[in-house]
Amino acid sequence: MKSFKYLFFFLVFNLGISHASVLDQKINSGMDAAYNFNFNKASKIFQQVAHNYPKKPEGYHYLSMLYLWYYLGSKSEIEYSSFVRYSDIALDLAKRDLDANENSDNANYILAQIYTLRAMANAKKQNSFEAFWATKKAVDFYKTTLKINPKYYDAYYGLGLFKYTLSFVPSLFNWALKVTGLSGDKIEGLRLLKKSFKYGKTTKVESAYHLSRIYVDFIADYDSSEAYLSPISSKYPRNIIFNYQHALLNLNRRELNKADNYLDKILSLRDSKFVQTNSFAFFLKGEIEFRNNNFAKANEFYDKFLTTTKDFDYSGIAYFNMAVCSFAMENPEEGKKQLLLARNGNDDIPDDNYAKRRSAILFENGISQHQLKIFIANNYLLSGNYSKSISLLKPIIDSLNESDQKGEALLILSDALLNVGRIREALNYSIQGAKLEIKNEKWIYPNILFISAKAHKYAGKWKDSRQILLEAERNNDSDFKDKLTPKINYLKKQLKIIL
């Protein structure tokens, strides 16, 4: 009897491993298909998991994940309703699992995952209170998972993602952080995501993607971003989101041809589940043509974006850039109409806020020939055509009397000069620009201080560079703050200033 008892427990234990192994293999296979945007295959696998394990939450949870992806890529309420339906089933089953064994790391972890998706969905729906409470529950379950099993490294992914994301919560939501006891920390979030990437079993792909984004958006370390993004892009070439991130990365690097190739790939896949992502691809193609000063083509792509988008995000800056294109093509009447429309973007988007504010000024005063040259020179700068930017601005720089115009021109000129190695000239022009009294375009001051800090570093004046950079950081509180901050962080890292 004693031998039979031990044999019984041995069989049960091994059957448990066998079932878990088969379940894990199925889920991994489904996720592999999902990452490569083979959604028919992924859906069939997860439906089979739900059918074969009707009392387990995994099949329903991963089906809900697919529908959340569809919703995020299309803004379709039908997809959102399907997400909620499957998420509710998964949540009910996961709670039953936890009731049966509250000390199970797996039971706590799946609940953390379920609440993570619900937090994302509510945040996208702008249901702030629900998003914070779902985040609170997710974080608590991740922490419990790690308390039970400190080597459950996949849980670090969720904690890292929330730590990083919560650091961007606007001050008006501080009450929610206090009520829920949550806190954000970019550096800690980065550390935890690196840990999940290195040691995790099921979260390596997500960790790599988010690390790639963070290295662009927080530190402006484009080489590190590429190192995380390239392997997953190569493994999953049909993944529209990875291709889109690659396009953004190359836009930041001012390598427009590479960015354009990734956007063409996205549009060639014609994924009906991601129509909003396709719409944003049109916007970025408009940005590329705009930066190449191909104004007619830029307007065509911006128009495609505006006629296909399902919300107002980036519509303000799209109309603003279209207005610049129209003035450049000597069609001021059309340009004025577009300046009016540029005021109707999303106020939560910094680019749209800039478009709203500046379009009102330009509508009142018009776009002068000097201002038009400054816009064109900036496009040359952002496309990496530094010599053209310099050639366009140097002949007119001394004739610019209006302080905002001169400051903008000096910023572009000093940046271009720095990129072609003309450090002394870059220093001279950036110092000139920092002394100007800027009236409306307050973003010029911290940006030109940043260029001056870079120029001082290149000239070997590290002490001066540190002081100027910290001054730039203190004054970085206007338009384009989100774009300058990662560049400041990267230079701080180079200058060995603690972030």
Side-chain angles (χ1 to χ4, degrees):
M1 286 293 296
K2 190 174 183 180
S3 297
F4 179 79
K5 184 178 179 182
Y6 282 128
L7 179 61
F8 172 77
F9 280 117
F10 176 77
L11 286 170
V12 169
F13 180 69
N14 278 277
L15 282 170
I17 291 177
S18 176
H19 281 303
S21 177
V22 171
L23 178 60
D24 289 344
Q25 287 174 11
K26 282 288 185 183
I27 290 169
N28 289 339
S29 177
M31 287 304 300
D32 229 35
Y35 287 141
N36 207 34
F37 275 43
N38 188 344
F39 294 121
N40 287 334
K41 181 178 179 181
S43 183
K44 286 177 182 177
I45 291 171
F46 296 142
Q47 284 172 2
Q48 187 181 36
V49 169
H51 180 266
N52 291 345
Y53 303 91
K55 294 184 179 180
K56 300 284 290 179
E58 282 83 357
Y60 300 101
H61 166 66
Y62 286 103
L63 282 169
S64 79
M65 178 201 74
L66 291 182
Y67 282 104
L68 178 60
W69 289 9
Y70 302 159
Y71 169 68
L72 295 176
S74 68
K75 295 292 186 74
S76 167
E77 289 300 318
I78 295 172
E79 308 292 9
Y80 180 77
S81 296
S82 296
F83 159 73
V84 171
R85 184 172 76 255
Y86 283 115
S87 181
D88 284 348
I89 297 170
L91 183 60
D92 181 59
L93 292 171
K95 285 179 176 178
R96 293 183 191 182
D97 268 2
L98 189 67
D99 288 341
N101 187 359
E102 64 180 18
N103 292 318
S104 164
D105 51 6
N106 284 322
N108 279 277
Y109 180 69
I110 191 68
L111 273 164
Q113 287 186 303
I114 291 166
Y115 278 113
T116 296
L117 296 190
R118 292 167 85 92
M120 291 171 63
N122 280 303
K124 192 64 178 176
K125 294 282 284 185
Q126 297 186 329
N127 299 329
S128 302
F129 187 77
E130 292 87 348
F132 277 112
W133 276 112
T135 300
K136 164 70 173 169
K137 288 179 178 292
V139 168
D140 286 347
F141 281 117
Y142 282 128
K143 286 181 177 178
T144 303
T145 302
L146 289 167
K147 187 176 180 181
I148 295 166
N149 180 3
K151 292 186 177 180
Y152 205 118
Y153 293 108
D154 290 312
Y156 289 110
Y157 163 74
L159 288 178
L161 191 58
F162 283 124
K163 275 288 182 184
Y164 180 78
T165 304
L166 288 170
S167 66
F168 291 96
V169 170
S171 57
L172 65 96
F173 288 114
N174 282 344
W175 63 269
L177 295 179
K178 288 179 182 177
V179 168
T180 56
L182 297 167
S183 63
D185 185 329
K186 296 181 183 71
I187 300 298
E188 178 66 3
L190 183 61
R191 184 186 73 81
L192 292 172
L193 282 168
K194 283 184 175 180
K195 197 168 187 176
S196 69
F197 173 78
K198 186 174 182 180
Y199 299 111
K201 294 179 180 179
T202 63
T203 56
K204 285 185 179 293
V205 175
E206 292 102 321
S207 297
Y209 168 69
H210 287 290
L211 284 167
S212 175
R213 288 184 60 229
I214 290 170
Y215 272 103
V216 171
D217 297 340
F218 176 48
I219 311 177
D221 183 347
Y222 305 135
D223 290 343
S224 293
S225 176
E226 181 78 51
Y228 283 109
L229 187 59
S230 283
I232 59 175
S233 293
S234 298
K235 187 174 182 180
Y236 305 108
R238 290 180 56 84
N239 190 300
I240 286 174
I241 305 303
F242 298 164
N243 280 297
Y244 191 84
Q245 184 61 29
H246 245 131
L248 290 174
L249 170 61
N250 283 293
L251 276 170
N252 279 281
R253 280 176 157 171
R254 300 175 180 175
E255 295 180 0
L256 303 191
N257 288 337
K258 288 183 180 179
D260 203 34
N261 288 337
Y262 283 109
L263 296 172
D264 284 341
K265 190 172 182 180
I266 290 169
L267 294 170
S268 70
L269 291 170
R270 299 178 184 276
D271 198 310
S272 60
K273 296 289 188 184
F274 287 78
V275 290
Q276 185 59 40
T277 309
N278 292 339
S279 183
F280 284 133
F282 285 131
F283 171 76
L284 291 186
K285 283 187 75 68
E287 290 284 278
I288 289 169
E289 297 299 343
F290 182 64
R291 294 180 188 189
N292 281 324
N293 290 314
N294 296 329
F295 300 118
K297 281 188 175 181
N299 269 355
E300 286 178 19
F301 282 116
Y302 284 135
D303 190 59
K304 283 185 179 180
F305 160 67
L306 291 165
T307 55
T308 57
T309 186
K310 294 188 176 240
D311 55 34
F312 293 107
D313 294 2
Y314 298 100
S315 61
I317 193 65
Y319 276 119
F320 182 86
N321 289 347
M322 289 176 81
V324 175
C325 293
S326 294
F327 275 97
M329 293 187 293
E330 300 181 352
N331 191 351
E333 290 305 312
E334 186 65 21
K336 284 215 162 192
K337 290 178 188 175
Q338 289 155 342
L339 285 174
L340 281 174
L341 291 166
R343 305 178 197 186
N344 299 317
N346 184 345
D347 289 344
D348 293 330
I349 304 288
D351 281 356
D352 282 354
N353 251 329
Y354 162 79
K356 180 179 182 178
R357 181 189 60 76
R358 197 165 190 190
S359 64
I361 296 169
L362 292 177
F363 184 83
E364 185 72 25
N365 302 326
I367 298 181
S368 67
Q369 285 302 305
H370 276 157
Q371 185 61 65
L372 194 56
K373 283 185 178 181
I374 292 168
F375 283 140
I376 292 170
N378 190 55
N379 284 342
Y380 282 135
L381 175 74
L382 295 178
S383 64
N385 288 316
Y386 305 117
S387 58
K388 288 185 178 181
S389 187
I390 295 165
S391 298
L392 191 60
L393 289 180
K394 277 203 92 175
I396 67 168
I397 199 73
D398 292 331
S399 63
L400 298 174
N401 298 317
E402 201 273 314
S403 61
D404 284 36
Q405 264 191 8
K406 186 153 192 168
E408 190 173 6
L410 286 168
L411 169 60
I412 297 163
L413 182 57
S414 56
D415 192 344
L417 287 164
L418 195 61
N419 275 282
V420 296
R422 292 160 66 173
I423 298 167
R424 185 175 295 180
E425 289 177 274
L427 269 172
N428 178 44
Y429 285 121
S430 64
I431 291 169
Q432 280 186 50
K435 292 177 180 177
L436 293 172
E437 290 290 331
I438 302 299
K439 182 181 177 183
N440 294 310
E441 306 308 312
K442 302 297 184 182
W443 54 273
I444 292 172
Y445 182 61
N447 276 273
I448 207 162
L449 283 176
F450 169 73
I451 296 299
S452 184
K454 278 182 73 174
H456 278 84
K457 175 185 174 292
Y458 291 167
K461 301 177 180 181
W462 279 44
K463 184 179 179 181
D464 291 337
S465 178
R466 289 190 185 100
Q467 291 176 345
I468 296 166
L469 184 64
L470 292 175
E471 178 70 10
E473 186 175 44
R474 281 191 293 270
N475 286 276
N476 186 27
D477 58 359
S478 52
D479 296 324
F480 310 124
K481 175 183 177 179
D482 60 321
K483 294 179 182 178
L484 182 58
T485 296
K487 295 176 185 178
I488 288 173
N489 288 339
Y490 188 62
L491 188 54
K492 283 174 76 174
K493 187 178 175 183
Q494 290 180 313
L495 292 168
K496 303 188 187 310
I497 300 173
I498 298 173
L499 292 177

